[in-house]
Amino acid sequence: MNELQKKDLEYIWHPCSQMKDYEKLPPIVIKNGKGVYLEDVDGNKYIDAVSSWWVNLFGHSNDRINKALYNQASTLEHVIFAGFSHEKAIELCERIIKVAPKGMKKVLFGDNGSSAVEIALKLSFQYHMQVGKKKKTKFIAISDAYHGETMGALSVGGVDLFSSMYKPLLIETIKVNGPDCYRCPYNKNRETCNAECFESMEKAIKENHEEITAVIIEPMIQGAAGMKMYSPNYLKKLKKLCDEYDINLIADEIAVGFGRTGKMFACEHAGISPDIMTVSKGLTAGYMPMSLVLTADKIYDAFYDDYETMKAFLHSHSYSGNPLGCAVAVETLKIFEEENILDTIDKKSKYLKEKIESTLLDIEYVGDYRQLGMIGAIELVKNKETKEAFPWQDRIGYKIYQLALKKGVLLRPLGNVIYFMPPYIITKEEIDIVVDTARECIEEYFSNNK
Ligand SMILES: *Cc1c(COP(=O)(O)O)cnc(C)c1O
């Protein structure tokens, strides 16, 4: 353990960590980042194959974004956003509305993903109060959903690992069995099915619609659940039924937005527009904590009235509309447009697919392989025939993570799911290194743990 690591552990409580684990593997102190590489204080380099928790799009220390950030910092670092505005916020919102699913018309600011989810939940609830549907107070979410860590976001989450401890504190939410394509109870295939699994959602909506204000969902991919992917038909059916019963559809695009799935936003795979949409993570290409909530006109209109009617949305964050974040987000959208990023993603995701298929799929323990755009994942199982999972106590993901670090790749598996979600600037050669390293580490793990 070096001096910095000792000091780190003296003072810092790291996110999503059992701090005792760091006795054996202390936090790696990173000195600099460039492109897909991170370099630690001892000079070791790591390819960032998880985009630093799904946020980085164009590499670390990107020249264009650095410049945008620097220019903004020397002009205006921050200003109160109630009663005031600034050019970059205006430009950002104009740009994002242009590329968002049609029907998204107004933009609110949060300062991280979870706060965007809180805003979305509050908006939906207040919307129904103000249009006179006072019984509509509940949310529906699907199993294994992940929407963040604050109380409201946890309430609509379905990953027990994160939420079960806090159950007594959480808002009562209706949980519905969501798609589970690898272990599909209907024996269908996600590419060809008609989202037969929608029936549990349909039942929940039909039985409870008078009390439901919104359904919240991660479109196409349930990230934290282990990159669980499902059919766009599920979203089509959901949108239709929500409309029928005056239920708001909240699309949480925080992980999947900004090209990750091959489209700008994942909703496009299903050709739907939600009523409320949350974005963060890639919004600032991995630079700044910022989030946006996009809404349809009907939501906005229900809040627009004379002050005395008390219909305003009285929600704020100190850093709402932060100019540094806005400048970076504007540059991010410009890069998408000017450098044809969606074409790049299309090509690179095809290569990633080829590479995974030719390198990993013959491993005895690879039960499922799924990919959409630049997110590829394999699920390791004890038994391919029965799809029996490895016990979580084995901590396979964590052990493979440790092996890969020694070989210079930052993979951070989710349970028994190893996924690749690299920045879009990754080269073919670097994709090869990442996927080959994953293979070596999986083989090494299983040869040591027979
Ligand atoms: C990461 C994530 C969040 C929470 O965002 P934070 O910025 O970590 O609070 C919410 N929803 C989804 C789908 C996410 O992946």
Side-chain angles (χ1 to χ4, degrees):
M1 209 183 291
N2 63 39
E3 284 308 308
L4 281 167
Q5 289 173 317
K6 276 188 209 145
K7 240 185 208 171
D8 175 291
L9 293 180
E10 191 179 340
Y11 295 110
I12 299 178
W13 196 339
H14 284 270
C16 205
S17 299
Q18 171 47 262
M19 292 304 295
K20 192 161 190 283
D21 281 345
Y22 292 121
E23 286 174 11
K24 290 210 183 89
L25 178 65
I28 296 162
V29 183
I30 295 298
K31 189 175 58 185
N32 61 58
K34 190 70 203 167
V36 291
Y37 288 94
L38 293 165
E39 186 178 354
D40 70 18
V41 289
D42 300 317
N44 302 305
K45 285 187 165 186
Y46 309 89
I47 296 183
D48 187 353
V50 299
S51 296
S52 280
W53 253 350
W54 320 351
V55 297
N56 192 291
L57 300 185
F58 309 125
H60 296 276
S61 196
N62 178 285
D63 290 339
R64 278 191 69 167
I65 296 184
N66 287 352
K67 200 178 267 174
L69 183 57
Y70 179 83
N71 286 342
Q72 188 58 44
S74 40
T75 318
L76 174 70
E77 82 304 330
H78 190 62
V79 61
I80 177 175
F81 206 55
F84 288 79
S85 192
H86 58 87
E87 271 181 53
K88 289 296 176 189
I90 296 165
E91 184 177 356
L92 170 60
C93 295
E94 182 181 22
R95 280 181 178 273
I96 196 128
I97 289 298
K98 272 192 191 135
V99 295
K102 69 170 194 307
M104 298 286 91
K105 293 287 169 61
K106 289 286 193 299
V107 185
L108 296 105
F109 284 82
D111 47 17
N112 61 67
S114 304
S115 73
V117 169
E118 301 289 336
I119 291 171
L121 300 175
K122 286 173 72 180
L123 275 179
S124 180
F125 170 84
Q126 191 173 342
Y127 163 82
H128 276 125
M129 295 304 107
Q130 292 178 179
V131 298
K133 296 265 180 87
K134 301 233 155 102
K135 278 198 282 183
K136 285 185 171 279
T137 60
K138 287 197 183 131
F139 300 96
I140 294 185
I142 63 174
S143 42
D144 293 337
Y146 182 81
H147 299 289
E149 303 290 356
T150 50
M151 291 297 185
L154 267 187
S155 300
V156 291
V159 183
D160 282 347
L161 177 64
F162 303 126
S163 58
S164 60
M165 162 61 78
Y166 308 102
K167 242 189 196 118
L169 304 179
L170 302 181
I171 314 166
E172 190 197 331
T173 298
I174 298 175
K175 296 274 160 60
V176 166
N177 281 333
D180 187 4
C181 300
Y182 175 41
R183 296 180 176 82
C184 178
Y186 304 83
N187 282 313
K188 301 280 176 184
N189 176 309
R190 96 167 60 79
E191 266 80 50
T192 53
C193 77
N194 193 27
E196 283 73 8
C197 57
F198 187 74
E199 67 179 4
S200 34
M201 178 67 80
E202 185 168 351
K203 189 164 174 280
I205 290 181
K206 288 192 169 158
E207 283 172 5
N208 303 288
H209 65 91
E210 285 184 356
E211 298 181 351
I212 306 300
T213 175
V215 174
I216 182 166
I217 195 162
E218 296 157 89
M220 299 306 291
I221 304 180
Q222 294 188 276
M227 302 299 163
K228 280 174 76 181
M229 304 182 186
Y230 60 89
S231 164
N233 290 330
Y234 192 92
L235 294 172
K236 285 183 194 159
K237 288 184 173 182
L238 180 58
K239 171 67 181 158
K240 190 160 172 278
L241 213 57
C242 283
D243 283 350
E244 211 170 297
Y245 289 102
D246 189 15
I247 292 169
N248 292 319
L249 178 60
I250 303 174
D252 180 353
E253 293 257 3
I254 290 169
V256 291
F258 302 96
R260 293 284 183 198
T261 68
K263 310 259 189 206
M264 195 63 181
F265 296 106
C267 282
E268 293 168 39
H269 290 278
I272 59 154
S273 278
D275 301 291
I276 302 174
M277 183 168 118
T278 55
V279 298
S280 186
K281 293 199 166 114
L283 168 67
T284 53
Y287 265 65
M288 308 285 294
M290 194 169 83
S291 60
L292 302 177
V293 180
L294 281 61
T295 74
D297 273 341
K298 75 162 191 196
I299 306 287
Y300 181 77
D301 293 345
F303 290 73
Y304 196 88
D305 209 335
D306 295 324
Y307 185 80
E308 294 70 24
T309 62
M310 295 303 286
K311 286 183 179 173
F313 188 54
L314 298 179
H315 180 116
S316 65
H317 294 285
S318 311
Y319 283 99
S320 295
N322 176 253
L324 300 173
C326 290
V328 165
V330 165
E331 198 63 18
T332 299
L333 290 176
K334 278 189 178 166
I335 292 174
F336 263 99
E337 193 182 309
E338 291 163 17
E339 301 183 19
N340 295 318
I341 299 299
L342 290 173
D343 291 344
T344 307
I345 291 171
D346 190 47
K347 290 193 194 91
K348 288 189 182 169
S349 58
K350 283 187 181 124
Y351 186 76
L352 180 65
K353 182 165 190 279
E354 269 169 40
K355 181 64 190 173
I356 293 174
E357 283 178 344
S358 64
T359 310
L360 299 178
L361 301 197
D362 64 322
I363 298 174
E364 189 187 339
Y365 302 100
V366 173
D368 190 30
Y369 157 57
R370 39 194 186 250
Q371 186 173 338
L372 189 63
M374 281 294 267
I375 305 177
I378 56 167
E379 182 162 338
L380 299 172
V381 291
K382 206 163 179 175
N383 183 324
K384 261 189 190 182
E385 298 311 311
T386 62
K387 304 181 181 177
E388 185 191 346
F390 286 104
W392 64 266
Q393 292 89 342
D394 289 358
R395 303 189 74 188
I396 292 182
Y398 182 62
K399 286 172 186 160
I400 288 172
Y401 160 77
Q402 291 176 312
L403 294 172
L405 279 179
K406 286 198 198 117
K407 295 176 196 288
V409 177
L410 168 46
L411 293 171
R412 201 176 191 279
L414 292 154
N416 303 326
V417 175
I418 298 179
Y419 68 89
F420 308 97
M421 190 165 172
Y424 305 149
I425 47 129
I426 195 168
T427 63
K428 284 184 179 177
E429 291 71 30
E430 289 155 352
I431 289 176
D432 287 349
I433 296 173
V434 165
V435 179
D436 288 336
T437 303
R439 176 168 187 119
E440 282 170 32
C441 296
I442 295 167
E443 285 184 330
E444 198 174 321
Y445 172 81
F446 284 110
S447 70
N448 296 337
N449 295 276
K450 276 271 179 201

